[in-house]
Amino acid sequence: MSTAQDTAGGEAEAWGEVTPDAARRLLVAAVEAFAERGYHATTTRDIAGRAGMSPAALYIHYKTKEELLHRISRIGHDKALDILRTAARGEGSATRRLADAVSSFVRWHAGGRTTARVVQYELDSLGPDARAEILALRRQVDAEVRGIVEEGVASGEFDVPDVHGTTIAVLSLCIDVARWFNVDGPQTPDEVGALYADLVLRMVGAKQPPAQT
């Protein structure tokens, strides 16, 4: 079992905005525990132990286990949205921007697979208010990808009869990378990102590859 300080792939570095250090160690420990055991099977004692702290110390920084999950989910969704928004508002054709969005989104799910598994698959463990907040962010994520697809259809770059359904398919394809990606496998996050960008462009019937747009 790894410790919070040695999270696989250096994912602990992704939480630099969480302060103080003890709060960040607890959050990283929670990510590990939730990804490994699931939210409901994880106790606050498990989390504190991984962080090398006493159970009582956890409550200094987080009132409940759910507050930890909410913080993880909020930060993760904010980052996911920023990745897609940056690509969607970048320069170039819809083809280029969709390829950038998919490759970047996939790289995030592969490179930060432990975090992404918790962010994407523990939504139903949140209480009603926190869940509603995260669902609102997910709708914004959906809107960024849907917007690119709509622009591609309008410009004649894409052949998509069902924009809504295609958007769901694209996002599902990207998100699932967090479930299966293996850091010791044959492909790097960059390689998987490039592969998925190509697959998605084929899915939307892109007229030409990004390099020619």
Side-chain angles (χ1 to χ4, degrees), residues 19-164:
T19 56
D21 178 68
R24 182 168 55 254
R25 285 165 52 199
L26 287 164
L27 186 143
V28 173
V31 168
E32 288 185 339
F34 295 158
E36 181 182 313
R37 307 186 62 187
Y39 174 80
H40 293 293
T42 298
T43 67
T44 53
R45 184 176 293 276
D46 294 331
I47 296 168
R50 286 173 183 260
M53 301 166 69
S54 70
L58 185 147
Y59 297 107
I60 296 173
H61 303 283
Y62 302 99
K63 295 178 182 178
T64 63
K65 184 175 71 168
E66 186 192 342
E67 183 179 331
L68 260 170
L69 178 61
H70 181 208
R71 186 84 188 276
I72 293 164
S73 191
R74 176 70 204 220
I75 293 173
H77 278 87
D78 281 341
K79 290 183 177 181
L81 178 58
D82 182 63
I83 287 168
L84 293 174
R85 184 170 283 162
T86 298
R89 299 180 184 182
E91 298 181 355
S93 65
T95 301
R96 174 74 269 165
R97 287 181 285 119
L98 183 60
D100 287 346
V102 170
S103 61
S104 298
F105 203 43
V106 166
R107 285 198 304 271
W108 184 75
H109 282 84
R113 65 210 172 281
T114 305
T115 296
R117 281 200 299 272
V118 176
V119 169
Q120 300 292 5
Y121 296 115
E122 288 289 358
L123 176 64
D124 289 340
S125 298
L126 292 169
D129 291 343
R131 188 172 187 275
E133 178 186 320
I134 301 305
L135 284 174
L137 288 172
R138 287 193 174 219
R139 285 192 290 271
Q140 292 180 60
V141 165
D142 179 277
E144 294 297 338
V145 175
R146 187 174 65 250
I148 304 173
V149 176
E150 287 173 343
E151 289 180 36
V153 171
S155 69
E157 294 174 61
F158 301 157
D159 180 13
V160 177
D162 182 353
V163 171
H164 174 71

Side-chain angles (χ1 to χ4, degrees), residues 167-182:
T167 299
I168 293 174
V170 169
L171 287 170
S172 297
L173 190 69
C174 296
I175 289 169
D176 193 56
V177 170
R179 181 185 58 79
W180 63 260
F181 185 79
N182 182 352

